[in-house]
Amino acid sequence: MMDVLTPPTGTQAIDRAARILTHVLEGDTRFTVGALSDAVNLPKSTTSRLVGALERHGLLARDPEDGSLLPGPAIDAYARRARLDPSLPDLAKDLLEGVATVTGETTTLSIPTPRGVEQIAQAEGAYLLGSTNWMGRSVPFHASAVGKAMLAFGAVQLPAGPLEQLTPQTLTIRADLVRDLETTRTRGYGLSIDEIEPGLIAIGAPVRGADRRVIAGIAIAGPTARITPDRHTAIGDLLVRTAGELEARISSHHHEEGAA
């Protein structure tokens, strides 16, 4: 006869995993797996197995330098959404329209999600060719201009494992991508040329929140035949300036809400 005081194995595993996650999220210091097993009073093998399951679901991650445990990308994404001002699309509306008017290209506002870059606002360009409804679409960070900006400026971490190849030009070799992200940091904006699909170019700049962490990005996208290399710098600089204007609005809005 089963002891009614002993929880079923599945329930016990969930309880232990929740205890591990809580210790990592609420701890004042970082834990290694060994230190965590002592803190939660579980065998190291059990702790390691449960940590592995939490990692696979994006709830925990490991610092590549020392192996200590950190909140995973799913936790980070939830925290970013909690900090995200729901009025952000309204704050950005006329700025997106201004960029679309100056460049003639479709302009978007995006946020990082566990699925990749997701567009939450858009201003239509002046051309039929290259005009796409990006709303609700997700694009991998490593193939997206604004996604590269988010990676380069620390909004998200590049996921482990193989990178999805959308076209032959998509950067899937990590060494090449790391160099591209270094260039992105230097110039202040990301470039994606023929990486989402052949003939499509995007340029994107990061947007910081009131706490100066990157929470979003502004980008334009259009055909490579029209957005030629001689225009890249001017458009990139325009996006960086526009992102700065949006950041000022976010900061002002944040202070106004705090004073209310």
Side-chain angles (χ1 to χ4, degrees):
M1 180 175 177
M2 188 177 71
D3 183 356
V4 295
L5 298 179
T6 302
T9 301
T11 302
Q12 187 179 61
I14 292 171
D15 180 68
R16 288 173 170 179
R19 188 150 36 110
I20 286 171
L21 183 60
T22 300
H23 266 75
V24 173
L25 296 180
E26 297 184 350
D28 294 328
T29 59
R30 290 186 180 182
F31 292 98
T32 61
V33 171
L36 183 60
S37 69
D38 292 337
V40 298
N41 195 28
L42 289 173
K44 186 174 181 180
S45 60
T46 301
T47 304
S48 179
R49 184 173 66 253
L50 292 173
V51 164
L54 292 168
E55 284 185 281
R56 287 193 295 275
H57 289 279
L59 296 172
L60 288 181
R62 297 186 198 235
D63 188 315
E65 298 294 327
D66 60 14
S68 61
L69 296 168
L70 302 166
I75 299 291
D76 286 344
Y78 178 81
R80 280 194 300 271
R81 283 187 177 274
R83 295 195 307 269
L84 190 65
D85 190 331
S87 65
L88 184 58
D90 291 331
L91 292 175
K93 185 175 185 294
D94 65 307
L95 296 175
L96 299 180
E97 291 170 348
V99 172
T101 297
V102 171
T103 64
E105 307 297 343
T106 298
T107 307
T108 57
L109 177 69
S110 309
I111 58 171
T113 75
R115 299 178 301 279
V117 176
E118 185 174 313
Q119 285 68 32
I120 61 171
Q122 175 170 315
E124 301 296 337
Y127 304 99
L128 291 177
L129 178 62
S131 181
T132 301
N133 183 5
W134 292 94
M135 293 294 291
R137 295 181 62 178
S138 297
V139 181
F141 292 106
H142 67 283
S144 158
V146 75
K148 290 179 184 180
M150 291 171 179
L151 287 167
F153 291 97
V156 291
Q157 299 295 316
L158 194 63
L163 300 173
E164 183 181 3
Q165 185 161 15
L166 304 182
T167 74
Q169 285 72 36
T170 305
L171 294 179
T172 55
I173 299 175
R174 288 178 182 269
D176 293 340
L177 185 56
V178 167
R179 284 192 291 271
D180 195 17
L181 296 181
E182 290 172 353
T183 301
T184 298
R185 276 190 294 273
T186 299
R187 69 187 169 212
Y189 57 87
L191 272 174
S192 170
I193 304 174
D194 296 325
E195 293 186 55
I196 295 176
E197 64 180 40
L200 179 69
I201 178 174
I203 306 174
V207 174
R208 292 170 175 81
D211 60 2
R212 301 308 299 158
R213 285 185 282 188
V214 173
I215 60 169
I218 295 177
I220 63 100
T224 53
R226 193 164 61 231
I227 307 175
T228 49
D230 59 296
R231 300 183 64 201
H232 293 179
T233 299
I235 293 175
D237 290 345
L238 171 64
L239 290 172
V240 170
R241 291 195 302 273
T242 304
E245 292 180 50
L246 180 54
E247 289 168 3
R249 293 184 182 185
I250 292 170
S251 181
S252 176
H253 186 69
H254 175 78
H255 289 310
E256 288 174 3
E257 283 198 329

